Amino acid sequence: MRSKTQLERLGLFDAKVPRYTSYPTAPHFSDAVDAARVTRWIGAIPEGSRISLYVHVPFCRRLCWFCACRTQGTQSDAPVAAYLTVLQQELALLARHLPKGVTLSRLHWGGGTPTLLSPAMITDLAGAIAALAPFAPGYEFSVEVDPNEIDTPRLAALRNAGMNRASIGVQDFDPLIQTSIGREQSFEVTRDVTMALREAGVHSLNADILFGLPHQTGPRITDSVQKLLSLAPDRVALYGYAHVPWMARRQSMLPSDALPTPPERLDLFETARQLFVWDGYDEIGIDHFALPSDGLSIAQRNRGLCRNFQGYTDDPAEVLIGIGASSISRFPQGYAQNAAGTSAHISAIRDGRFSTARGHAFAGDDRLRARIIEALMCDFSVSTPALSEAFGISPATLRAMFDAVNARFESCLEVTDRGLTIPPAARPLTRMVARAFDAFDDQKTRHSSAI
Ligand SMILES: C[S@@+](CC[C@H](N)C(=O)[O-])C[C@H]1O[C@@H](n2cnc3c(N)ncnc32)[C@H](O)[C@@H]1O
Ligand code: SF4
Protein backbone atom coordinates (compact mmCIF):
# COMPACT_ATOMS: atom_id res chain seq x y z
CA MET A 1 0.00 0.00 0.00
CA ARG A 2 1.21 3.55 -0.68
CA SER A 3 1.85 5.60 2.45
CA LYS A 4 -1.26 6.87 4.18
CA THR A 5 0.08 10.38 3.74
CA GLN A 6 0.21 10.01 -0.02
CA LEU A 7 -3.20 8.31 -0.18
CA GLU A 8 -4.60 11.12 1.94
CA ARG A 9 -3.00 13.75 -0.30
CA LEU A 10 -4.61 12.05 -3.30
CA GLY A 11 -7.94 12.42 -1.56
CA LEU A 12 -8.66 8.90 -0.30
CA PHE A 13 -10.00 10.02 3.06
CA ASP A 14 -12.00 13.07 2.13
CA ALA A 15 -13.54 12.21 -1.22
CA LYS A 16 -16.95 10.58 -1.53
CA VAL A 17 -16.94 8.30 -4.50
CA PRO A 18 -19.49 5.87 -5.93
CA ARG A 19 -18.98 2.10 -5.93
CA TYR A 20 -19.67 2.07 -9.68
CA THR A 21 -22.11 -0.80 -9.97
CA SER A 22 -23.23 1.02 -13.13
CA TYR A 23 -22.06 3.90 -15.30
CA PRO A 24 -23.60 6.38 -15.14
CA THR A 25 -24.49 5.76 -11.51
CA ALA A 26 -28.14 5.74 -10.41
CA PRO A 27 -28.17 9.35 -9.07
CA HIS A 28 -27.67 10.46 -12.70
CA PHE A 29 -30.70 8.62 -14.04
CA SER A 30 -33.49 10.84 -15.36
CA ASP A 31 -37.12 10.50 -16.39
CA ALA A 32 -35.99 10.26 -20.05
CA VAL A 33 -36.44 6.49 -19.79
CA ASP A 34 -40.07 5.48 -19.37
CA ALA A 35 -42.20 2.34 -19.57
CA ALA A 36 -42.72 2.68 -23.35
CA ARG A 37 -38.98 2.76 -23.97
CA VAL A 38 -38.39 -0.21 -21.66
CA THR A 39 -41.07 -2.17 -23.50
CA ARG A 40 -39.17 -1.53 -26.77
CA TRP A 41 -35.86 -2.57 -25.18
CA ILE A 42 -37.43 -5.81 -23.92
CA GLY A 43 -38.88 -6.49 -27.37
CA ALA A 44 -35.43 -6.03 -28.94
CA ILE A 45 -33.85 -8.86 -26.90
CA PRO A 46 -32.83 -11.49 -29.48
CA GLU A 47 -34.95 -14.66 -29.45
CA GLY A 48 -33.27 -17.52 -27.63
CA SER A 49 -31.00 -15.23 -25.53
CA ARG A 50 -29.79 -15.97 -22.04
CA ILE A 51 -30.80 -13.16 -19.71
CA SER A 52 -30.69 -12.62 -15.95
CA LEU A 53 -33.45 -11.67 -13.54
CA TYR A 54 -33.33 -9.79 -10.22
CA VAL A 55 -36.38 -9.92 -7.96
CA HIS A 56 -36.63 -7.36 -5.13
CA VAL A 57 -38.51 -8.19 -1.92
CA PRO A 58 -38.57 -4.92 0.05
CA PHE A 59 -39.73 -6.28 3.43
CA CYS A 60 -37.99 -7.30 6.65
CA ARG A 61 -39.27 -8.58 9.98
CA ARG A 62 -36.65 -6.45 11.76
CA LEU A 63 -35.06 -3.23 10.63
CA CYS A 64 -31.36 -3.24 11.43
CA TRP A 65 -30.14 0.27 12.27
CA PHE A 66 -27.03 0.10 10.10
CA CYS A 67 -28.89 -0.93 6.95
CA ALA A 68 -29.08 1.47 4.01
CA CYS A 69 -31.14 -0.90 1.83
CA ARG A 70 -34.57 0.11 0.54
CA THR A 71 -36.88 -1.99 2.67
CA GLN A 72 -39.79 -1.69 5.09
CA GLY A 73 -40.49 -3.52 8.34
CA THR A 74 -43.63 -5.62 8.69
CA GLN A 75 -44.81 -8.23 11.16
CA SER A 76 -47.87 -9.06 9.10
CA ASP A 77 -48.00 -11.19 5.97
CA ALA A 78 -50.76 -9.10 4.35
CA PRO A 79 -48.53 -6.49 2.63
CA VAL A 80 -46.10 -9.20 1.57
CA ALA A 81 -48.92 -11.27 0.03
CA ALA A 82 -50.28 -8.21 -1.82
CA TYR A 83 -46.80 -7.42 -3.14
CA LEU A 84 -46.30 -11.01 -4.23
CA THR A 85 -49.49 -10.93 -6.28
CA VAL A 86 -48.15 -7.81 -8.00
CA LEU A 87 -44.79 -9.49 -8.69
CA GLN A 88 -46.67 -12.30 -10.39
CA GLN A 89 -48.61 -9.74 -12.48
CA GLU A 90 -45.35 -8.01 -13.37
CA LEU A 91 -43.84 -11.32 -14.50
CA ALA A 92 -46.94 -12.01 -16.62
CA LEU A 93 -46.63 -8.51 -18.16
CA LEU A 94 -42.98 -9.16 -18.92
CA ALA A 95 -43.87 -12.53 -20.48
CA ARG A 96 -46.15 -10.74 -22.96
CA HIS A 97 -43.22 -8.70 -24.31
CA LEU A 98 -40.28 -11.06 -23.92
CA PRO A 99 -39.16 -12.64 -27.21
CA LYS A 100 -39.40 -16.42 -27.61
CA GLY A 101 -36.91 -18.95 -26.31
CA VAL A 102 -35.31 -16.75 -23.63
CA THR A 103 -33.65 -18.68 -20.76
CA LEU A 104 -32.33 -17.57 -17.37
CA SER A 105 -28.59 -17.44 -16.83
CA ARG A 106 -28.85 -16.01 -13.31
CA LEU A 107 -31.78 -15.48 -10.97
CA HIS A 108 -31.24 -13.46 -7.80
CA TRP A 109 -33.77 -12.74 -5.06
CA GLY A 110 -32.67 -9.79 -2.95
CA GLY A 111 -34.09 -7.26 -0.58
CA GLY A 112 -34.93 -6.66 2.07
CA THR A 113 -35.34 -10.21 3.19
CA PRO A 114 -36.62 -12.64 0.55
CA THR A 115 -36.42 -15.45 3.12
CA LEU A 116 -39.38 -13.97 5.00
CA LEU A 117 -41.64 -15.37 2.26
CA SER A 118 -43.64 -18.41 3.41
CA PRO A 119 -42.95 -21.77 1.68
CA ALA A 120 -46.17 -21.38 -0.35
CA MET A 121 -45.18 -17.86 -1.44
CA ILE A 122 -41.71 -19.08 -2.44
CA THR A 123 -43.25 -21.85 -4.54
CA ASP A 124 -45.74 -19.46 -6.18
CA LEU A 125 -43.09 -16.87 -7.04
CA ALA A 126 -40.71 -19.52 -8.39
CA GLY A 127 -43.57 -20.97 -10.46
CA ALA A 128 -44.34 -17.57 -12.01
CA ILE A 129 -40.66 -17.16 -12.90
CA ALA A 130 -40.49 -20.67 -14.41
CA ALA A 131 -43.55 -19.79 -16.52
CA LEU A 132 -41.67 -16.73 -17.83
CA ALA A 133 -38.44 -18.51 -18.77
CA PRO A 134 -36.74 -21.79 -17.87
CA PHE A 135 -33.28 -21.91 -16.36
CA ALA A 136 -30.40 -22.12 -18.84
CA PRO A 137 -27.87 -24.97 -18.44
CA GLY A 138 -25.34 -24.01 -15.74
CA TYR A 139 -27.75 -21.46 -14.27
CA GLU A 140 -27.29 -19.90 -10.86
CA PHE A 141 -30.22 -19.08 -8.56
CA SER A 142 -29.07 -17.13 -5.52
CA VAL A 143 -31.04 -15.80 -2.57
CA GLU A 144 -30.10 -13.30 0.16
CA VAL A 145 -30.57 -15.20 3.42
CA ASP A 146 -31.01 -13.51 6.79
CA PRO A 147 -29.90 -16.26 9.21
CA ASN A 148 -32.51 -15.08 11.75
CA GLU A 149 -35.28 -15.38 9.18
CA ILE A 150 -35.10 -18.88 7.68
CA ASP A 151 -36.26 -22.34 8.76
CA THR A 152 -36.39 -25.88 7.37
CA PRO A 153 -39.69 -25.55 5.42
CA ARG A 154 -38.59 -22.28 3.75
CA LEU A 155 -35.18 -23.71 2.96
CA ALA A 156 -36.81 -26.82 1.43
CA ALA A 157 -39.13 -24.64 -0.70
CA LEU A 158 -36.18 -22.58 -1.96
CA ARG A 159 -34.18 -25.69 -2.73
CA ASN A 160 -37.14 -27.24 -4.57
CA ALA A 161 -37.38 -24.04 -6.59
CA GLY A 162 -33.76 -24.53 -7.70
CA MET A 163 -31.79 -22.26 -5.35
CA ASN A 164 -28.12 -23.27 -5.65
CA ARG A 165 -26.34 -20.26 -4.07
CA ALA A 166 -27.08 -18.42 -0.84
CA SER A 167 -25.80 -15.06 0.28
CA ILE A 168 -25.72 -14.82 4.07
CA GLY A 169 -25.78 -11.50 5.92
CA VAL A 170 -23.21 -11.60 8.74
CA GLN A 171 -21.94 -8.00 9.19
CA ASP A 172 -19.88 -8.72 12.37
CA PHE A 173 -19.94 -11.37 15.10
CA ASP A 174 -18.89 -9.12 17.99
CA PRO A 175 -21.74 -8.70 20.54
CA LEU A 176 -20.92 -5.05 21.36
CA ILE A 177 -20.82 -4.13 17.67
CA GLN A 178 -24.03 -6.07 16.99
CA THR A 179 -25.84 -4.20 19.76
CA SER A 180 -24.56 -0.85 18.52
CA ILE A 181 -25.77 -1.48 14.95
CA GLY A 182 -29.13 -2.97 15.95
CA ARG A 183 -28.44 -6.40 14.47
CA GLU A 184 -28.19 -9.23 16.94
CA GLN A 185 -27.24 -12.57 15.47
CA SER A 186 -25.18 -15.14 17.33
CA PHE A 187 -22.33 -17.03 15.72
CA GLU A 188 -24.23 -20.26 16.50
CA VAL A 189 -27.29 -19.11 14.49
CA THR A 190 -25.12 -18.23 11.49
CA ARG A 191 -23.16 -21.49 11.78
CA ASP A 192 -26.34 -23.60 12.01
CA VAL A 193 -27.88 -21.91 8.95
CA THR A 194 -24.65 -22.45 7.01
CA MET A 195 -24.73 -26.14 7.91
CA ALA A 196 -28.43 -26.45 7.07
CA LEU A 197 -27.87 -24.85 3.66
CA ARG A 198 -25.05 -27.26 2.88
CA GLU A 199 -27.05 -30.26 4.11
CA ALA A 200 -29.90 -29.16 1.83
CA GLY A 201 -27.48 -29.25 -1.10
CA VAL A 202 -26.72 -25.53 -1.44
CA HIS A 203 -22.98 -25.74 -1.82
CA SER A 204 -22.18 -22.22 -2.97
CA LEU A 205 -22.24 -19.81 -0.05
CA ASN A 206 -21.49 -16.09 0.04
CA ALA A 207 -21.19 -14.03 3.20
CA ASP A 208 -21.41 -10.25 3.66
CA ILE A 209 -19.32 -8.64 6.37
CA LEU A 210 -18.65 -4.99 7.08
CA PHE A 211 -15.66 -2.92 8.10
CA GLY A 212 -15.91 0.57 9.56
CA LEU A 213 -18.61 -0.27 12.12
CA PRO A 214 -18.86 1.47 15.53
CA HIS A 215 -16.44 0.02 18.13
CA GLN A 216 -14.67 -2.06 15.48
CA THR A 217 -10.96 -2.51 16.23
CA GLY A 218 -8.17 -4.63 14.76
CA PRO A 219 -8.60 -7.44 17.34
CA ARG A 220 -12.40 -7.40 16.96
CA ILE A 221 -12.40 -7.62 13.16
CA THR A 222 -9.70 -10.32 13.38
CA ASP A 223 -11.94 -12.36 15.66
CA SER A 224 -14.99 -11.89 13.39
CA VAL A 225 -13.07 -12.80 10.23
CA GLN A 226 -11.62 -15.90 11.91
CA LYS A 227 -15.10 -16.99 12.96
CA LEU A 228 -16.30 -16.44 9.41
CA LEU A 229 -13.36 -18.39 7.99
CA SER A 230 -14.31 -21.33 10.23
CA LEU A 231 -17.54 -21.53 8.18
CA ALA A 232 -15.53 -21.65 4.91
CA PRO A 233 -17.76 -19.51 2.68
CA ASP A 234 -16.91 -19.74 -1.03
CA ARG A 235 -17.18 -16.01 -1.45
CA VAL A 236 -17.02 -13.01 0.88
CA ALA A 237 -18.08 -9.42 0.29
CA LEU A 238 -16.16 -7.12 2.65
CA TYR A 239 -18.13 -3.87 2.34
CA GLY A 240 -17.17 -0.57 3.91
CA TYR A 241 -20.02 0.50 6.19
CA ALA A 242 -21.67 3.49 4.49
CA HIS A 243 -22.92 5.93 7.14
CA VAL A 244 -25.55 7.99 5.36
CA PRO A 245 -28.14 8.92 8.05
CA TRP A 246 -29.56 11.66 5.79
CA MET A 247 -30.63 8.88 3.40
CA ALA A 248 -31.23 6.01 5.85
CA ARG A 249 -32.65 7.72 8.92
CA ARG A 250 -32.47 4.64 11.14
CA GLN A 251 -28.68 4.97 11.04
CA SER A 252 -29.01 7.92 13.42
CA MET A 253 -29.52 5.24 16.14
CA LEU A 254 -25.84 4.25 15.75
CA PRO A 255 -23.27 5.79 18.12
CA SER A 256 -21.56 7.93 15.50
CA ASP A 257 -18.84 8.95 17.97
CA ALA A 258 -17.75 5.28 18.08
CA LEU A 259 -17.24 5.09 14.29
CA PRO A 260 -13.64 4.52 13.20
CA THR A 261 -11.85 7.39 11.48
CA PRO A 262 -11.05 7.05 7.74
CA PRO A 263 -7.42 5.97 8.39
CA GLU A 264 -8.70 3.43 10.94
CA ARG A 265 -11.15 2.12 8.33
CA LEU A 266 -8.26 1.58 5.96
CA ASP A 267 -6.42 -0.43 8.65
CA LEU A 268 -9.56 -2.50 9.38
CA PHE A 269 -9.92 -3.34 5.70
CA GLU A 270 -6.25 -4.23 5.45
CA THR A 271 -6.40 -6.49 8.53
CA ALA A 272 -9.40 -8.39 7.14
CA ARG A 273 -7.90 -8.52 3.64
CA GLN A 274 -4.71 -10.13 4.89
CA LEU A 275 -6.62 -12.74 6.87
CA PHE A 276 -8.61 -13.79 3.80
CA VAL A 277 -5.51 -13.90 1.60
CA TRP A 278 -3.53 -15.92 4.20
CA ASP A 279 -6.42 -18.38 4.29
CA GLY A 280 -6.15 -19.02 0.53
CA TYR A 281 -8.85 -16.69 -0.80
CA ASP A 282 -8.27 -14.81 -4.04
CA GLU A 283 -8.84 -11.06 -3.93
CA ILE A 284 -11.63 -10.12 -6.33
CA GLY A 285 -11.84 -6.51 -7.37
CA ILE A 286 -11.96 -3.92 -4.61
CA ASP A 287 -13.94 -5.69 -1.90
CA HIS A 288 -14.57 -9.40 -2.59
CA PHE A 289 -12.68 -12.57 -1.76
CA ALA A 290 -13.32 -16.00 -3.25
CA LEU A 291 -11.93 -19.51 -3.04
CA PRO A 292 -9.99 -20.40 -6.19
CA SER A 293 -12.74 -22.91 -7.09
CA ASP A 294 -15.48 -20.25 -6.99
CA GLY A 295 -16.99 -18.81 -10.18
CA LEU A 296 -15.71 -15.29 -9.40
CA SER A 297 -12.11 -16.48 -9.11
CA ILE A 298 -12.41 -18.47 -12.31
CA ALA A 299 -13.93 -15.47 -14.11
CA GLN A 300 -11.16 -13.23 -12.80
CA ARG A 301 -8.48 -15.62 -14.06
CA ASN A 302 -10.20 -15.75 -17.47
CA ARG A 303 -10.69 -11.97 -17.63
CA GLY A 304 -14.45 -12.54 -17.50
CA LEU A 305 -15.23 -10.68 -14.27
CA CYS A 306 -18.09 -8.18 -14.63
CA ARG A 307 -19.89 -5.70 -12.42
CA ASN A 308 -23.61 -5.24 -12.02
CA PHE A 309 -26.04 -3.79 -9.46
CA GLN A 310 -25.38 -6.70 -7.09
CA GLY A 311 -21.60 -6.12 -7.21
CA TYR A 312 -19.11 -8.50 -8.83
CA THR A 313 -20.44 -11.25 -11.06
CA ASP A 314 -19.30 -13.89 -13.49
CA ASP A 315 -22.60 -13.54 -15.34
CA PRO A 316 -21.96 -13.00 -19.05
CA ALA A 317 -25.62 -12.07 -19.86
CA GLU A 318 -26.01 -8.65 -21.47
CA VAL A 319 -29.55 -8.16 -20.22
CA LEU A 320 -30.48 -8.07 -16.54
CA ILE A 321 -34.15 -7.40 -15.82
CA GLY A 322 -35.13 -6.09 -12.37
CA ILE A 323 -38.56 -7.03 -11.06
CA GLY A 324 -40.21 -5.30 -8.09
CA ALA A 325 -40.11 -1.85 -6.53
CA SER A 326 -36.87 0.13 -7.08
CA SER A 327 -35.21 -2.64 -9.12
CA ILE A 328 -32.86 -1.59 -11.89
CA SER A 329 -32.64 -3.28 -15.30
CA ARG A 330 -29.72 -3.16 -17.69
CA PHE A 331 -30.09 -3.48 -21.46
CA PRO A 332 -27.53 -2.94 -24.24
CA GLN A 333 -29.38 0.37 -24.83
CA GLY A 334 -29.24 1.65 -21.23
CA TYR A 335 -30.63 1.37 -17.69
CA ALA A 336 -34.17 1.56 -16.34
CA GLN A 337 -35.30 1.78 -12.72
CA ASN A 338 -38.74 0.85 -11.40
CA ALA A 339 -40.65 3.22 -9.11
CA ALA A 340 -38.83 3.26 -5.78
CA GLY A 341 -41.92 3.32 -3.56
CA THR A 342 -43.80 0.06 -3.15
CA SER A 343 -47.21 1.71 -3.57
CA ALA A 344 -46.25 3.55 -6.79
CA HIS A 345 -44.86 0.30 -8.17
CA ILE A 346 -47.97 -1.67 -7.22
CA SER A 347 -50.33 0.85 -8.76
CA ALA A 348 -48.45 0.92 -12.12
CA ILE A 349 -48.45 -2.87 -12.39
CA ARG A 350 -52.13 -3.06 -11.42
CA ASP A 351 -52.78 -0.63 -14.30
CA GLY A 352 -51.04 -3.09 -16.63
CA ARG A 353 -47.82 -1.12 -17.29
CA PHE A 354 -44.20 -1.30 -16.15
CA SER A 355 -43.50 1.11 -13.29
CA THR A 356 -40.31 2.52 -14.88
CA ALA A 357 -39.62 5.89 -13.26
CA ARG A 358 -36.07 6.76 -14.31
CA GLY A 359 -33.13 5.51 -16.27
CA HIS A 360 -30.46 6.38 -18.75
CA ALA A 361 -30.17 5.70 -22.49
CA PHE A 362 -26.54 5.36 -23.57
CA ALA A 363 -25.32 8.19 -25.80
CA GLY A 364 -22.04 9.80 -26.84
CA ASP A 365 -19.07 8.20 -25.15
CA ASP A 366 -21.09 6.57 -22.31
CA ARG A 367 -20.28 3.03 -23.40
CA LEU A 368 -16.56 3.76 -23.67
CA ARG A 369 -16.45 5.31 -20.20
CA ALA A 370 -18.59 2.46 -18.81
CA ARG A 371 -16.15 -0.09 -20.25
CA ILE A 372 -13.11 1.72 -18.80
CA ILE A 373 -14.70 2.04 -15.35
CA GLU A 374 -15.84 -1.59 -15.27
CA ALA A 375 -12.36 -2.77 -16.34
CA LEU A 376 -10.71 -0.72 -13.60
CA MET A 377 -13.14 -1.94 -10.93
CA CYS A 378 -12.76 -5.60 -12.03
CA ASP A 379 -9.19 -5.96 -13.35
CA PHE A 380 -7.42 -2.78 -12.14
CA SER A 381 -6.34 -2.28 -15.74
CA VAL A 382 -7.61 -1.12 -19.10
CA SER A 383 -6.28 -2.46 -22.38
CA THR A 384 -5.61 0.09 -25.12
CA PRO A 385 -5.72 -2.46 -28.01
CA ALA A 386 -9.08 -3.86 -26.76
CA LEU A 387 -10.65 -0.39 -26.38
CA SER A 388 -9.24 0.81 -29.66
CA GLU A 389 -10.73 -2.18 -31.48
CA ALA A 390 -14.11 -2.07 -29.72
CA PHE A 391 -14.65 1.70 -30.01
CA GLY A 392 -12.55 2.71 -33.03
CA ILE A 393 -10.49 5.19 -31.00
CA SER A 394 -6.86 5.79 -31.84
CA PRO A 395 -4.28 4.48 -29.35
CA ALA A 396 -2.80 8.00 -29.25
CA THR A 397 -6.10 9.49 -28.03
CA LEU A 398 -6.38 6.84 -25.32
CA ARG A 399 -2.76 7.38 -24.29
CA ALA A 400 -3.39 11.10 -23.88
CA MET A 401 -6.48 10.37 -21.77
CA PHE A 402 -4.58 7.91 -19.53
CA ASP A 403 -1.56 10.22 -19.17
CA ALA A 404 -3.83 13.06 -18.04
CA VAL A 405 -5.43 10.85 -15.38
CA ASN A 406 -2.04 9.55 -14.25
CA ALA A 407 -0.81 13.11 -13.78
CA ARG A 408 -3.75 13.76 -11.44
CA PHE A 409 -2.61 10.80 -9.34
CA GLU A 410 1.05 11.91 -9.06
CA SER A 411 2.06 9.24 -11.60
CA CYS A 412 1.27 6.42 -9.18
CA LEU A 413 -0.49 4.53 -12.02
CA GLU A 414 1.29 2.64 -14.78
CA VAL A 415 0.61 3.93 -18.29
CA THR A 416 2.16 2.32 -21.37
CA ASP A 417 1.09 1.89 -25.00
CA ARG A 418 -0.70 -1.31 -23.83
CA GLY A 419 -2.97 0.62 -21.47
CA LEU A 420 -3.40 1.81 -17.90
CA THR A 421 -2.86 -0.29 -14.77
CA ILE A 422 -3.43 0.46 -11.09
CA PRO A 423 -0.49 -1.22 -9.31
CA PRO A 424 -1.26 -3.08 -6.03
CA ALA A 425 0.14 -0.24 -3.89
CA ALA A 426 -2.36 2.23 -5.38
CA ARG A 427 -5.44 -0.03 -5.32
CA PRO A 428 -7.10 1.74 -2.39
CA LEU A 429 -7.55 4.57 -4.96
CA THR A 430 -9.38 2.42 -7.52
CA ARG A 431 -12.80 4.07 -7.11
CA MET A 432 -11.15 7.47 -7.37
CA VAL A 433 -9.29 6.52 -10.54
CA ALA A 434 -12.58 5.23 -11.96
CA ARG A 435 -14.19 8.53 -11.01
CA ALA A 436 -11.60 10.36 -13.09
CA PHE A 437 -13.31 8.78 -16.15
CA ASP A 438 -16.83 9.67 -14.95
CA ALA A 439 -18.18 12.51 -17.09
CA PHE A 440 -21.28 12.86 -14.86
CA ASP A 441 -19.38 13.18 -11.62
CA ASP A 442 -19.94 16.21 -9.42
CA GLN A 443 -19.74 16.94 -5.72
CA LYS A 444 -23.51 16.81 -5.20
CA THR A 445 -23.75 13.11 -5.95
CA ARG A 446 -20.78 11.95 -3.92
CA HIS A 447 -22.60 10.22 -1.12
CA SER A 448 -20.54 7.33 0.14
CA SER A 449 -17.10 7.22 1.60
CA ALA A 450 -14.10 6.32 -0.56
CA ILE A 451 -13.08 3.35 1.55
C1 LIG B 1 -29.92 -5.95 1.14
S1 LIG B 1 -29.03 -6.53 2.50
C2 LIG B 1 -29.94 -8.05 2.62
C3 LIG B 1 -29.41 -8.94 3.64
C4 LIG B 1 -30.41 -9.75 4.45
N1 LIG B 1 -31.68 -9.10 4.59
C5 LIG B 1 -29.81 -9.93 5.81
O1 LIG B 1 -30.14 -9.17 6.69
O2 LIG B 1 -29.00 -10.83 5.99
C6 LIG B 1 -27.52 -7.02 1.74
C7 LIG B 1 -26.26 -6.49 2.37
O3 LIG B 1 -26.14 -5.10 2.20
C8 LIG B 1 -25.11 -4.66 3.08
N2 LIG B 1 -25.43 -3.34 3.64
C9 LIG B 1 -26.60 -2.93 4.13
N3 LIG B 1 -26.49 -1.66 4.62
C10 LIG B 1 -25.20 -1.28 4.41
C11 LIG B 1 -24.46 -0.09 4.70
N4 LIG B 1 -25.01 0.93 5.31
N5 LIG B 1 -23.17 -0.04 4.32
C12 LIG B 1 -22.60 -1.10 3.69
N6 LIG B 1 -23.23 -2.24 3.41
C13 LIG B 1 -24.52 -2.35 3.77
C14 LIG B 1 -25.05 -5.69 4.21
O4 LIG B 1 -23.77 -6.29 4.25
C15 LIG B 1 -26.12 -6.67 3.86
O5 LIG B 1 -25.80 -8.00 4.20
S1 SF4 C 1 -29.75 -5.97 6.90
FE1 SF4 C 1 -31.27 -7.31 5.99
S2 SF4 C 1 -32.76 -7.67 7.67
FE2 SF4 C 1 -31.56 -5.91 8.28
S3 SF4 C 1 -32.80 -4.15 7.56
FE3 SF4 C 1 -31.26 -4.62 5.96
S4 SF4 C 1 -32.30 -5.92 4.55
FE4 SF4 C 1 -33.52 -5.94 6.45
Side-chain angles (χ1 to χ4, degrees), residues 65 138 146 268 280 301 357 410:
W65 303 341
D146 176 354
L268 288 165
R301 287 197 291 279
E410 298 183 354

Side-chain angles (χ1 to χ4, degrees), residues 60 62 64 66-69 111-114 144-147 168-171 183 208-210 239-243 251:
C60 296
R62 56 171 173 177
C64 316
F66 76 94
C67 181
C69 300
T113 305
E144 287 171 15
V145 173
D146 176 354
I168 304 170
V170 173
Q171 324 314 340
R183 162 98 179 189
D208 295 340
I209 61 164
L210 299 178
Y239 294 128
Y241 166 61
H243 190 60
Q251 288 185 346

Side-chain angles (χ1 to χ4, degrees), residues 162-292:
M163 173 178 72
N164 53 16
R165 182 178 281 279
S167 185
I168 304 170
V170 173
Q171 324 314 340
D172 195 292
F173 286 117
D174 184 87
L176 171 67
I177 295 176
Q178 290 192 355
T179 310
S180 75
I181 64 171
R183 162 98 179 189
E184 284 171 25
Q185 174 179 320
S186 70
F187 172 71
E188 288 70 25
V189 163
T190 308
R191 182 199 58 203
D192 292 351
V193 166
T194 307
M195 284 164 57
L197 283 160
R198 289 199 170 115
E199 270 160 29
V202 183
H203 294 296
S204 302
L205 297 185
N206 304 5
D208 295 340
I209 61 164
L210 299 178
F211 69 93
L213 293 171
H215 303 294
Q216 219 172 24
T217 58
R220 286 201 176 108
I221 200 165
T222 299
D223 190 52
S224 282
V225 169
Q226 281 170 342
K227 284 197 168 85
L228 181 59
L229 287 171
S230 74
L231 305 178
D234 304 80
R235 213 178 265 186
V236 176
L238 172 62
Y239 294 128
Y241 166 61
H243 190 60
V244 285
W246 56 95
M247 283 166 62
R249 266 183 293 165
R250 52 185 179 262
Q251 288 185 346
S252 53
M253 314 268 278
L254 265 75
S256 54
D257 52 349
L259 285 169
T261 61
E264 287 166 350
R265 282 170 64 100
L266 186 62
D267 289 341
L268 288 165
F269 177 84
E270 188 54 24
T271 301
R273 186 189 74 80
Q274 284 181 7
L275 291 167
F276 288 120
V277 172
W278 285 336
D279 218 62
Y281 284 75
D282 289 330
E283 288 182 68
I284 309 291
I286 61 163
D287 55 10
H288 278 53
F289 299 86
L291 292 176

Side-chain angles (χ1 to χ4, degrees), residues 42-55:
I42 292 169
I45 296 171
E47 285 186 6
S49 308
R50 289 166 68 124
I51 67 163
S52 294
L53 203 65
Y54 170 78
V55 179

